[in-house]
Amino acid sequence: MGDAMAASRKPDKPAQGRVLIFDDEANMGRILVKTLTMEGFEARHFTNPVEGLAALGELQPDVLLTDVRMPEMTGLQVLERMRRDFPDVPVLTITAFGTVEGAVEAMQAGALNYITKPFEPGNLLAQIGRAIEHRRMLQEHVRLNEQFSGLSQAREIVGESEPIRQLRSIIARSAPTGSSVLITGRSGVGKELVARAI
């Protein structure tokens, strides 16, 4: 049965990030949620990974921690779904049956790292922290690429006059915001070029 146990973080500590845990052992899930919550993470545990995956879009975790051996769905199947549907969420796999082959298979399937039970809480927290930082860096990389793409398209607008420089500056500031922009002007002044740049 799907057991969704949520834990609220300590009010005096800022959230370090949101962690989703898939582990069919309810006791292990409770321990992980408690450990993470004490360190300022928001954590939620699902004993049924199928239910956890169904809630993933709504919960929007920063990292997923999944057991490898579960009855409803294996950790490798979870990795396959994550790579297809949520490729920006890093996945850490945990298992009590650690082998070199299992670690290689998990990494090839898209796991960021492979952790064997029993694990040191400090090591687990460090791995989760690195995974969250990895995701933030990827998001920043995507944002900068989008901004650079907008700037390079803005360079297609020819001219070095002050109004053209102001227009390029407005495009550079508007492009990464995701806000709607109204572009006005007479026919032939380059509205489509500005729209493409944004």
Side-chain angles (χ1 to χ4, degrees):
M1 301 288 270
D3 168 19
M5 293 176 287
S8 58
R9 59 185 164 83
K10 281 185 174 180
D12 58 332
K13 281 185 137 178
Q16 302 290 340
R18 185 173 294 134
V19 182
L20 221 57
I21 303 157
F22 296 172
D23 195 316
D24 59 316
E25 294 178 31
N27 193 44
M28 174 58 72
R30 277 192 288 271
I31 291 168
L32 288 167
V33 167
K34 184 175 181 182
T35 301
L36 292 170
T37 302
M38 287 172 58
E39 293 299 321
F41 292 93
E42 290 180 25
R44 184 147 182 185
H45 170 237
F46 287 87
T47 56
N48 184 331
V50 176
E51 292 179 6
L53 285 168
L56 209 104
E58 179 189 334
L59 297 174
Q60 297 184 358
D62 294 302
V63 65
L64 173 66
L65 186 61
T66 184
D67 195 6
V68 172
R69 293 191 182 184
M70 297 176 285
E72 298 86 359
M73 182 182 240
T74 69
L76 294 176
Q77 290 171 318
V78 168
L79 279 163
E80 186 181 310
R81 284 280 304 278
M82 292 298 292
R83 193 168 53 187
R84 188 186 73 214
D85 299 337
F86 302 94
D88 65 320
V89 178
V91 180
L92 299 172
T93 57
I94 53 173
T95 184
F97 308 96
T99 63
V100 172
E101 294 81 11
V104 169
E105 193 175 9
M107 301 294 270
Q108 287 175 339
L112 188 63
N113 214 334
Y114 185 86
I115 304 163
T116 54
K117 299 175 187 175
F119 43 78
E120 290 288 321
N123 178 46
L124 177 69
L125 292 166
Q127 297 283 355
I128 290 171
R130 280 195 285 273
I132 290 172
E133 185 58 29
H134 175 77
R135 182 175 192 230
R136 288 182 181 146
M137 287 172 63
L138 284 177
Q139 289 172 331
E140 179 65 9
H141 180 72
V142 167
R143 188 189 69 75
L144 289 172
N145 273 348
E146 288 172 354
Q147 189 173 359
F148 179 76
S149 173
L151 284 171
S152 65
Q153 288 181 346
R155 287 191 187 103
E156 292 177 15
I157 299 171
V158 180
E160 290 304 322
S161 67
E162 185 56 31
I164 292 293
R165 281 198 291 273
Q166 288 176 355
L167 177 62
R168 284 193 193 110
S169 175
I170 291 168
I171 290 168
R173 289 194 313 269
S174 302
T177 66
S179 299
S180 297
V181 177
L182 176 64
I183 303 167
T184 62
R186 292 190 310 265
S187 179
V189 297
K191 295 187 296 294
E192 285 183 27
L193 197 59
V194 172
R196 273 203 316 272
I198 292 173

